[in-house]
Amino acid sequence: MSAAPSTPAVQFVTVDEETAGQRLDNFLIRTLKGVPKTHIYRIIRSGEVRRNKGRVSADDRLQAGDVLRLPPVRISERVAEKASHPAPARQFPVVFEDEAFLAIDKPAGVAVHGGSGVSFGVIEQLRQARPEARLLELVHRLDRETSGLLLVAKKRSALKALQDQFRERETGKTYVTLVKGLWPGNRKVLDQPLHKYLLPDGERRVKVVPADHPDGMRSVSLVRVLHPVPVPAVLALAYPEGLTLLEVTIKTGRTHQIRVHLASAGHPIVGDDKYGDFELNRQLARLGLKRMFLHAWRLRIKHPVTGVEMELQAQLPVELQEWTHEGNKH
């Protein structure tokens, strides 16, 4: 489906099989990007939106073959400006792809989508690089500084099926990370509620809260020690316990979950600029580690169409591999 043009004009849209089953309001919110929701509900209530020449309600489900008449609407100046300066086309390394979805290996430092001071992200660049794609939608999110597996749906039905798996915690998401200090091998389960809050400047943060906190969201991370990693020799006196390479599987997908759980346990992720040890980060950056060491390594899902169980893996990026050796060369 094409988005609304910047100049007002009547549109006639035929609902296809992929769109069938959606509520009218949800369809219009996606189609008329930049049009306020209040205005969308107003044009539905007033009868300006017609289905097969008749009136239609916001909660009516669309059927394949329905013809929708959409009245002239103006999109916001911000959206019009964004349309006139599209994101640069960029392809990303593909781990898996078929007609339903693709899995890419997202590099660190790239946001998954535009917003919050970022004009574009992975999804906008991917859409520009694949203009023939009828649909490309993010299935889930990764922090900007986290690298690794990211799923993008190519069909609305695949998007729903995959998001249902994430919502029902039926996926297995495993990350590889390097943390400060020697992680105790017997500490395998972190079951601590998390709470989102804002700093005075409006920046988002997350913290561990008591089990009885009214706004705490249950969050579970499973930790497995891979092996200890010594710090470079020049840091050995300051950090005698060195570092630990961990495998972390999350059973819930909360914002900053792994970062906050590990930092709260006294073992922050190296390179983490929000919850980390800033002096250690500074020293390691001087020695070449200039990013957060958190990589979405493995993802277990069921194929959204066939139901076949799949295991996807994205190899550690080169800039992280050299920091994983038990006999660190630095």
Side-chain angles (χ1 to χ4, degrees):
M1 298 296 168
S2 59
S6 57
T7 54
V10 171
Q11 294 185 76
F12 290 92
V13 177
T14 301
V15 175
D16 58 20
E17 293 286 348
E18 195 61 36
T19 305
Q22 283 190 64
R23 284 172 51 122
L24 175 70
D25 52 358
N26 292 335
F27 169 76
L28 292 182
I29 287 165
R30 290 193 184 96
T31 302
L32 302 176
K33 289 182 171 63
V35 178
K37 289 183 182 179
T38 53
H39 186 68
I40 287 175
Y41 284 104
R42 188 181 305 127
I43 61 176
I44 295 172
R45 284 196 306 270
S46 68
E48 294 176 78
V49 176
R50 313 290 281 188
R51 176 171 65 174
N52 306 327
K53 300 183 179 179
R55 293 180 73 102
V56 62
S57 299
D59 59 355
D60 283 355
R61 301 279 174 178
L62 300 177
Q63 303 297 321
D66 283 348
V67 177
L68 300 177
R69 177 198 182 276
L70 309 184
V73 288
R74 286 191 179 277
I75 64 173
S76 69
E77 290 182 14
R78 178 182 58 81
V79 173
E81 174 69 14
K82 189 174 176 182
S84 65
H85 295 87
R90 180 178 178 183
Q91 295 279 13
F92 297 88
V94 175
V95 176
F96 172 86
E97 181 171 8
D98 66 4
E99 292 182 353
F101 77 103
L102 69 153
I104 64 169
D105 187 355
K106 184 187 89 67
V110 184
V112 295
H113 59 74
S116 301
V118 180
S119 55
F120 58 82
V122 169
I123 193 64
E124 291 86 1
Q125 293 178 89
L126 203 56
R127 286 169 180 159
Q128 288 295 320
R130 295 171 171 236
E132 75 289 349
R134 295 179 57 216
L135 178 97
L136 290 173
E137 294 283 357
L138 290 167
V139 173
H140 60 115
R141 307 282 191 268
L142 285 180
D143 288 349
R144 188 189 312 186
E145 295 308 320
T146 303
S147 56
L149 287 167
L150 181 67
L151 303 188
V152 178
K154 296 167 68 175
K155 290 185 172 184
R156 185 86 43 202
S157 54
L159 177 66
K160 183 180 185 305
L162 288 168
Q163 287 183 334
D164 285 348
Q165 289 184 51
F166 278 87
R167 191 177 303 110
E168 298 301 321
R169 303 174 189 173
E170 294 171 353
T171 58
K173 292 183 285 186
T174 301
Y175 295 70
V176 173
T177 186
L178 188 65
V179 300
K180 174 188 174 183
L182 193 61
W183 184 274
N186 62 353
R187 186 158 198 193
K188 299 178 180 180
V189 181
L190 301 177
D191 185 352
Q192 299 163 300
L194 298 178
H195 170 58
K196 284 193 279 192
Y197 65 100
L198 296 178
L199 295 177
D201 64 1
E203 190 173 350
R204 179 180 58 182
R205 284 289 190 278
V206 178
K207 63 183 178 181
V208 168
V209 294
D212 60 355
H213 192 286
D215 297 317
M217 302 286 286
R218 190 180 182 206
S219 308
V220 181
S221 303
L222 308 181
V223 182
R224 186 169 83 90
V225 173
L226 294 176
H227 57 73
V229 175
V231 293
V234 294
L235 299 179
L237 268 178
Y239 301 96
E241 283 196 323
L243 312 170
T244 310
L245 191 67
L246 302 176
E247 199 178 275
V248 183
T249 298
I250 55 174
K251 307 306 286 183
T252 52
R254 310 299 182 200
T255 301
H256 298 170
Q257 176 174 323
I258 295 176
R259 300 165 68 175
V260 176
H261 268 172
L262 298 184
S264 178
H267 299 274
I269 297 174
V270 299
D272 188 338
D273 64 357
K274 286 185 170 65
Y275 309 100
D277 180 316
F278 303 135
E279 177 57 25
L280 175 59
N281 291 349
R282 191 177 69 81
Q283 297 287 355
L284 292 176
R286 284 178 48 246
L287 297 169
L289 184 60
K290 300 181 184 298
R291 56 158 291 193
M292 180 171 68
F293 198 124
L294 183 60
H295 178 73
W297 166 59
R298 185 178 67 207
L299 185 57
R300 289 179 173 142
I301 59 170
K302 291 180 181 176
H303 191 280
V305 176
T306 65
V308 172
E309 293 193 1
M310 304 176 66
E311 181 177 292
L312 306 169
Q313 287 190 14
Q315 186 178 8
L316 269 180
V318 173
E319 74 268 16
L320 297 186
Q321 287 181 26
E322 60 183 290
W323 291 88
T324 64
H325 307 305
E326 294 179 74
N328 201 307
K329 68 178 184 178
H330 289 275

